[in-house]
Amino acid sequence: QVQLVESGGDLVQAGGSLRLSCLASGSIFSINAMGWYRQAPGKQRELVATITSGGSTVYEDSVKGRFTISRGGAENTVYLQMNSLKREDTAVYYCHAKILPISGSAYRDYWGQGTQVTVSS
């Protein structure tokens, strides 16, 4: 099995910072990319940021300059450093990864269960 587990969500005041973490574990051969998505109340899930195994990053426009995505080492981790948080950042944040499982023949999409980020006014 492959699992993604997020952590770091919290209640924070506007202007504050949080760091989200995601660990991919299980029968993993390789990871092509990892990223973060979020779903705010009354809105559809949207891409926040992604990072490839080569280090290329993509950010949603509203988080550019405020959020930074990075990957860890051998433990298959991805982080999202969130600074200057705004009330509109309030959402459930989901970790995503494209993973080639051991004994698999193709990359598959995996999702974490989500972690709640709430930004107060």
Side-chain angles (χ1 to χ4, degrees):
Q1 295 182 350
V2 174
Q3 302 88 31
L4 301 180
V5 179
E6 307 102 329
S7 63
D10 207 347
L11 172 65
V12 64
Q13 189 175 5
S17 298
L18 286 173
R19 190 189 193 216
L20 305 184
S21 300
C22 176
L23 171 65
S25 62
S27 301
I28 297 171
F29 183 81
S30 66
I31 299 177
N32 178 259
M34 300 185 76
W36 293 92
Y37 291 71
R38 67 186 179 186
Q39 187 163 18
K43 300 185 67 176
Q44 295 183 333
R45 187 175 299 187
E46 66 177 0
L47 172 71
V48 179
T50 60
I51 185 167
T52 69
S53 60
S56 298
T57 58
V58 175
Y59 293 92
E60 192 272 328
D61 286 343
S62 69
V63 309
K64 289 180 180 177
R66 300 189 297 120
F67 292 9
T68 302
I69 189 169
S70 61
R71 289 184 67 173
E75 64 178 321
N76 300 323
T77 55
V78 63
Y79 306 98
L80 186 68
Q81 179 66 47
M82 304 186 294
N83 298 325
S84 302
L85 282 162
K86 304 174 180 179
R87 188 167 181 84
E88 53 262 42
D89 294 318
T90 295
V92 177
Y93 284 71
Y94 297 91
C95 182
H96 167 77
K98 290 185 177 293
I99 294 173
L100 177 63
I102 294 174
S103 77
S105 60
Y107 284 89
R108 297 174 58 188
D109 294 316
Y110 292 87
W111 294 89
Q113 293 301 116
T115 185
Q116 176 71 49
V117 172
T118 302
V119 183
S120 63
S121 60

